[in-house]
Amino acid sequence: MAASARPALHAAGVYRRSIGAYLRSIAEYPADFWVMALSGTTWQLMLFSFLSILFANVKAIAGWNYHEMLLLAGFLAVSWGSTALFWDGIWDTGKLIVEGDMDYRLTRPAPVLIQVGSKHVGMQVFGDVTLGLVMMTVGWIGAGLSAAAIPLALFLLLCAAVIQAALLTIANAVNFWVKGRTPVAAFMLAELQNEAMRFPLTIFPAAVRIVFTFGLPLAFASFIPAQILTGKLDPVWLAAPPLAAAATVLLAVLVFRAGVKAYDSAGH
């Protein structure tokens, strides 16, 4: 039992030291931190204002009122923003491949995926998550949700953040085969999140809903958890987010490992 747990403990130690080192470097340049944090805050303030203006003119969107929409938008902001806190380094996969820096990660006695994912922290996350929590709180109170559901919300947020990180890993791993510094697939995923998933999935055609639920399971990272919290879905759906998280993590590990096997040093 102890021997089987040793690789996991080693990976956790590598991750903790890598993230800790970057956080210490952030502390040495506080101006950079505040600029990035404010940029994230500005974007979420714009979204907050947009929803407030929109619902000053309409009563509901596909059956979702103002406070439920705030809960949905806030949930997405917190879950998506959390990936920048604990897994932002994955965005550098293409750069590491093109510049040959992936070679260094391959020779170190630590899991390559953990080294890449924990390479740095997205400082804009602090603004994103802060305003996301504000929107969730306002929406939560306005929708009349009970404080007893907070543990459930935290669990669903954890599942959503894991799903987001796994999907980002898959999207960035595409660069093992499609050589280039820019993670085009990951940027497309981010655009889908920002433009489509902040609205109820029910406004889209059935084919789109099926794709975003069972093909590219973005719905499990925002829309379905918000439906569970607001009572729009049967409690049986509580099993779906953790199952989706486990499946996407497994797929992300397999895809990234396949990419590492297909990797050729930049010198070849």
Side-chain angles (χ1 to χ4, degrees), residues 33 36 38 114 174:
F33 166 78
M36 293 299 292
L38 286 174
I114 296 296
V174 169

Side-chain angles (χ1 to χ4, degrees), residues 39-162:
S39 70
T41 302
T42 301
W43 169 250
Q44 296 304 329
L45 277 174
M46 290 173 62
L47 177 57
F48 202 160
S49 300
F50 167 76
L51 290 175
S52 298
I53 294 171
L54 177 64
F55 278 92
N57 295 280
V58 299
K59 291 183 178 180
I61 297 178
W64 289 65
N65 63 34
Y66 173 61
H67 291 101
E68 291 170 339
M69 282 292 295
L70 280 181
L71 182 65
L72 174 61
F75 191 99
L76 178 59
V78 174
S79 63
W80 179 250
S82 296
T83 63
L85 178 62
F86 69 87
W87 204 243
D88 201 54
I90 202 68
W91 285 92
D92 283 349
T93 302
K95 179 182 176 182
L96 293 172
I97 292 169
V98 171
E99 295 182 356
D101 287 343
M102 190 65 73
D103 295 0
Y104 171 65
R105 269 76 189 177
L106 289 170
T107 57
R108 294 183 66 193
V112 178
L113 181 55
I114 296 296
Q115 294 182 65
V116 176
S118 62
K119 186 172 176 285
H120 57 72
V121 175
M123 292 181 285
Q124 74 280 1
V125 68
F126 297 97
D128 287 341
V129 172
T130 299
L131 263 294
L133 288 172
V134 170
M135 285 192 287
M136 277 193 71
T137 301
V138 174
W140 189 283
I141 295 172
L145 301 185
S146 169
I150 291 177
L152 173 60
L154 294 175
F155 173 71
L156 292 174
L157 277 170
L158 175 62
C159 292
V162 170

Side-chain angles (χ1 to χ4, degrees), residues 13 23 35 42 66 68 87-88 119 132 214 228 233 237 261:
L23 289 175
V35 168
T42 301
Y66 173 61
E68 291 170 339
W87 204 243
D88 201 54
K119 186 172 176 285
F214 303 107
I228 292 172
L233 274 182
W237 279 86
K261 289 181 179 178

Side-chain angles (χ1 to χ4, degrees), residues 171-186:
N172 277 279
V174 169
N175 281 61
F176 279 110
W177 295 277
V178 183
K179 299 296 191 295
R181 295 172 181 268
T182 304
V184 176

